Amino acid sequence: GQSLEQPSEVTAVEGAIVQINCTYQTSGFYGLSWYQQHDGGAPTFLSYNALDGLEETGRFSSFLSRSDSYGYLLLQELQMKDSASYFCAVKEDDKIIFGKGTRLHILP
Amino acid sequence: GAVVSQHPSWVICKSGTSVKIECRSLDFQATTMFWYRQFPKQSLMLMATSNEGSKATYEQGVEKDKFLINHASLTLSTLTVTSAHPEDSSFYICSARSGRGYEQYFGPGTRLTVT
């Protein structure tokens, strides 16, 4: 079986930096990805880490440590439009399994 | 980029009726399509995986006779919710993948309300 753990909610201030952690337990592992979902919308792909280390894409970075079964999403220079739910997900065999999601609240 | 559409975007139906949701890949051939269900403030739960031309593989706990999936072509998959009940009210999202690549492209979702 598989399980992914991430905080249910995180609150941060506009302009600040926030880190959303994810730990996972899977029988097979190919990589960790992150998705953003705004209320009423579909998930949009943010990043994918197959190897250990940090991947940077603009204001968003994602990190993976395979030995620790741990990863995180780092959001910098937070903007109000970043208020959304963020899901970590693992690829297991032929499918992607999503975590429960972290709701990010941003205060002005 | 790869675009996936869903139709309808929302639907209201009476209890006991059936509803069909379409998922189309508009600019690529989707060898594999996935159907997810998402209840409010919850995660996406994978319902089934379908490969073009073959029967869908359902996740544990998903009734295959209630949620009929057809993937008849490389650009179209359909999900039919049969004999819908109010507890089937949810947000249904499809995603599509080309070949063995990692990235899935999500449709905009269909909100189903059963009264």
Side-chain angles (χ1 to χ4, degrees):
Chain A
Q2 63 282 327
S3 69
L4 297 98
E5 297 292 330
Q6 53 182 129
S8 58
E9 289 185 277
V10 171
T11 301
V13 178
E14 189 177 15
I17 300 173
V18 72
Q19 178 174 311
I20 300 174
N21 298 320
C22 175
T23 57
Y24 59 87
Q25 197 169 22
T26 63
S27 54
F29 178 79
Y30 296 91
L32 183 72
S33 57
W34 289 90
Y35 290 81
Q36 179 192 61
Q37 185 181 32
H38 287 98
D39 286 346
T44 55
F45 174 80
L46 291 178
S47 67
Y48 172 63
N49 294 65
L51 302 175
D52 287 358
L54 189 69
E55 296 278 345
E56 298 182 64
T57 309
R59 294 187 296 114
F60 294 0
S61 303
S62 57
F63 172 83
L64 175 66
S65 168
R66 293 174 67 120
S67 60
D68 296 322
S69 298
Y70 163 76
Y72 66 72
L73 178 69
L74 190 74
L75 297 85
Q76 303 182 72
E77 300 173 24
L78 284 172
Q79 302 175 10
M80 296 304 293
K81 67 178 182 180
D82 298 329
S83 294
S85 292
Y86 293 84
F87 296 88
C88 59
V90 294
K91 182 174 184 290
E92 188 174 86
D93 297 326
D94 197 37
K95 53 195 179 185
I96 294 177
I97 306 299
F98 287 82
K100 289 185 167 60
T102 298
R103 181 126 188 120
L104 174 60
H105 303 278
I106 299 178
L107 304 176
Chain B
V3 179
V4 176
S5 70
Q6 277 184 245
H7 178 80
S9 55
W10 61 270
V11 57
I12 301 173
C13 71
K14 291 187 182 298
S15 187
T17 61
S18 295
V19 174
K20 180 185 283 189
I21 302 170
E22 292 185 350
C23 176
R24 292 182 186 272
S25 56
L26 299 185
D27 52 3
F28 68 101
Q29 293 187 325
T31 51
T32 306
M33 286 186 168
F34 304 85
W35 286 95
Y36 295 85
R37 179 169 52 183
Q38 185 178 34
F39 293 107
K41 300 192 189 304
Q42 294 189 24
S43 187
L44 288 82
M45 299 303 296
L46 180 64
M47 299 175 67
T49 303
S50 73
N51 292 294
E52 185 263 339
S54 56
K55 288 186 178 180
T57 303
Y58 289 81
E59 294 299 301
Q60 195 171 11
V62 178
E63 300 173 60
K64 63 180 180 181
D65 294 330
K66 179 170 182 61
F67 299 99
L68 302 179
I69 292 172
N70 184 282
H71 191 167
S73 78
L74 285 171
T75 59
L76 174 65
S77 176
T78 60
L79 167 68
T80 302
V81 183
T82 63
S83 187
H85 289 135
E87 56 264 33
D88 298 325
S89 298
S90 187
F91 193 45
Y92 291 87
I93 307 171
C94 72
S95 70
R97 187 184 69 201
S98 175
R100 297 292 295 177
Y102 175 83
E103 191 167 348
Q104 292 183 22
Y105 303 96
F106 284 85
T110 296
R111 189 160 302 281
L112 170 64
T113 302
V114 184
T115 61

